[in-house]
């Protein structure tokens, strides 16, 4: 795809190979655009299956991942480190729950000891189909987890069957979300108890009570409090490891295509590139 763009065969490519960013920027005919949206790259645990049914094990894994290393080595810095909250910072009512789930192998060891499983071994299913760089991210996770006494067997799955036989089927997998523009939309789609795409299989009664109540709350301050509590519950108890919020890095031939400010809700200028872009 990169060769097709630089040769003039095509005028636009999305989600460019981040290893080629600096090279493309040196081409006077090419424009590289960066838009940080609502999307996030994740590892998810099925909280109904052992050992992920223990919240201390879940949180140990959250502390055992070096997200900064993954951001730097896999995404070449084109990302924002996550904190196990799926609500992007630009969304209304977004919070950044505490404590921050930074890389802390000693904390992970402490939590595993509390759970009674000081030497933990788990399989993590990954594939490039989940997100570009998922295989490398899984290996970096395995490397950082060793310091916490955690052995992660990185299982490279087939790309063509990943969404059929791995996602929602295996207990610990790589995945991604494009994100949603509101708290309710994101939480309802991915974390409500009966959501079809609840890939952590998390069913928290208090969370679901707040989710329903917040929809009819017209007082913004009260609604903000509800959403704050929901994000904290998911951060503390859920099966989500939000590695990074993604940055859409795309490239176009600037002699052929022109555009205004791009939408951040989806890739491809909010999925409206055909409507919003024009011939230069």
């Amino acid at each position: 795809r990169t060769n097709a763009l630089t040769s003039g065969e095509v005028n636009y490519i999305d989600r460019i190979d981040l290893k080629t960013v600096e090279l493309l920027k040196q081409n006077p005919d090419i424009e590289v655009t960066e838009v940080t949206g609502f999307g996030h790259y994740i590892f998810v645990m099925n909280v109904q299956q052992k050992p992920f049914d223990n919240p201390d094990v879940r949180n140990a894994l959250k502390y055992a991942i070096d997200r900064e290393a993954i951001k730097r080595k896999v995404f070449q810095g084109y990302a924002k480190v996550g904190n196990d909250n799926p609500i992007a910072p630009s969304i209304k009512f977004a919070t950044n729950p505490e404590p921050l789930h930074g890389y802390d192998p000693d904390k992970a060891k402490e939590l595993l000891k509390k759970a009674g499983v000081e030497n933990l071994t788990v399989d993590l299913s990954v594939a490039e189909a989940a997100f570009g760089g998922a295989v490398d991210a899984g290996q970096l996770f395995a490397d950082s987890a060793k310091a916490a006494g955690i052995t992660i067997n990185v299982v490279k799955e087939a790309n063509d069957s990943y969404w059929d036989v791995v996602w929602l089927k295996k207990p610990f997998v790589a995945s991604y979300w494009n994100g949603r523009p509101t708290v309710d939309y994101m939480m309802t789609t991915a974390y409500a108890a009966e959501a079809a795409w609840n890939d952590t299989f998390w069913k928290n009664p208090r969370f679901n009570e707040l989710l329903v109540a917040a929809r009819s709350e017209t007082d913004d301050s009260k609604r903000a409090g509800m959403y704050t509590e929901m994000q904290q519950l998911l951060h503390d108890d859920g099966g989500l490891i939000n590695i990074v919020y993604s940055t859409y890095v795309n490239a176009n031939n600037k002699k052929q295509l022109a555009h205004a400010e791009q939408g951040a809700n989806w890739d491809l200028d909010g999925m409206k590139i055909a409507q919003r872009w024009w011939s230069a």
Side-chain angles (χ1 to χ4, degrees):
R1 295 191 310 135
T2 302
N3 288 338
L5 177 69
T6 55
S7 68
E9 184 179 351
V10 301
N11 294 321
Y12 179 94
I13 59 173
D14 72 333
R15 304 189 188 190
I16 62 178
D17 182 346
L18 296 176
K19 296 174 183 176
T20 70
V21 171
E22 296 308 316
L23 181 64
L24 287 173
K25 285 182 176 180
Q26 294 173 22
N27 188 323
D29 296 334
I30 302 299
E31 175 190 29
V32 175
T33 61
E34 305 165 24
V35 180
T36 300
F38 311 145
H40 39 288
Y41 299 132
I42 62 179
F43 294 129
V44 287
M45 300 167 269
N46 182 335
V47 304
Q48 296 184 9
Q49 294 195 30
K50 293 183 179 299
F52 311 113
D53 58 340
N54 187 318
D56 291 321
V57 170
R58 300 198 290 269
N59 283 323
L61 285 161
K62 295 172 188 177
Y63 281 111
I65 182 171
D66 189 342
R67 303 166 212 244
E68 288 288 351
I70 294 174
K71 171 187 172 181
R72 184 175 66 254
K73 295 178 181 180
V74 176
F75 299 105
Q76 310 297 311
Y78 291 94
K80 179 180 175 60
V81 167
N83 183 34
D84 306 327
N85 177 13
I87 309 304
S90 58
I91 296 174
K92 185 178 181 179
F93 301 121
T95 64
N96 194 23
E98 294 184 354
L100 298 180
H101 287 157
Y103 179 50
D104 188 342
D106 289 335
K107 180 66 175 178
K109 285 181 179 179
E110 179 185 322
L111 287 164
L112 288 180
K113 185 176 181 179
K114 182 181 175 184
V117 283
E118 294 183 44
N119 294 302
L120 178 69
T121 299
V122 296
D123 291 342
L124 171 62
S125 292
V126 298
E128 293 300 296
F131 61 83
V135 176
D136 289 340
Q139 190 56 60
L140 287 169
F141 188 6
D143 292 343
S144 67
K146 290 176 184 176
I150 300 172
T151 299
I152 297 178
N153 299 319
V154 180
V155 181
K156 188 175 180 181
E157 307 279 3
N159 284 317
D160 57 0
S161 59
Y162 191 80
W163 300 109
D164 292 323
V165 303
V166 178
W167 185 64
L168 294 176
K169 305 292 193 307
K170 296 195 175 183
F172 194 20
V173 306
S175 186
Y176 81 98
W177 281 95
N178 280 317
R180 300 294 186 271
T182 69
V183 177
D184 178 77
Y185 194 0
M186 186 69 237
M187 297 303 201
T188 298
T189 304
Y191 300 99
E194 304 306 324
W197 290 351
N198 181 350
D199 50 12
T200 60
F201 297 87
W202 186 62
K203 299 182 179 183
N204 184 290
R206 176 60 178 166
F207 176 93
N208 286 284
E209 175 188 340
L210 289 165
L211 180 61
V212 173
R215 292 175 187 148
S216 59
E217 180 53 66
T218 57
D219 184 319
D220 260 12
S221 63
K222 292 181 180 179
R223 199 175 188 204
M226 293 176 178
Y227 285 143
T228 295
E229 185 178 351
M230 287 168 60
Q231 291 168 77
Q232 189 71 51
L233 284 168
L234 181 54
H235 169 274
D236 295 348
D237 185 59
L240 165 70
I241 297 176
N242 184 357
I243 311 165
V244 294
Y245 292 103
S246 60
T247 296
Y248 299 124
V249 186
N250 305 325
N252 64 276
N253 184 324
K254 61 185 180 183
K255 290 186 175 181
Q256 299 294 327
L257 289 176
H259 59 90
E261 182 178 354
Q262 296 187 64
N265 55 320
W266 298 92
D267 198 3
L268 297 164
D269 194 0
M271 290 294 181
K272 293 190 175 181
I273 187 172
Q275 177 182 342
R276 294 176 176 168
W277 289 46
W278 61 92
S279 296

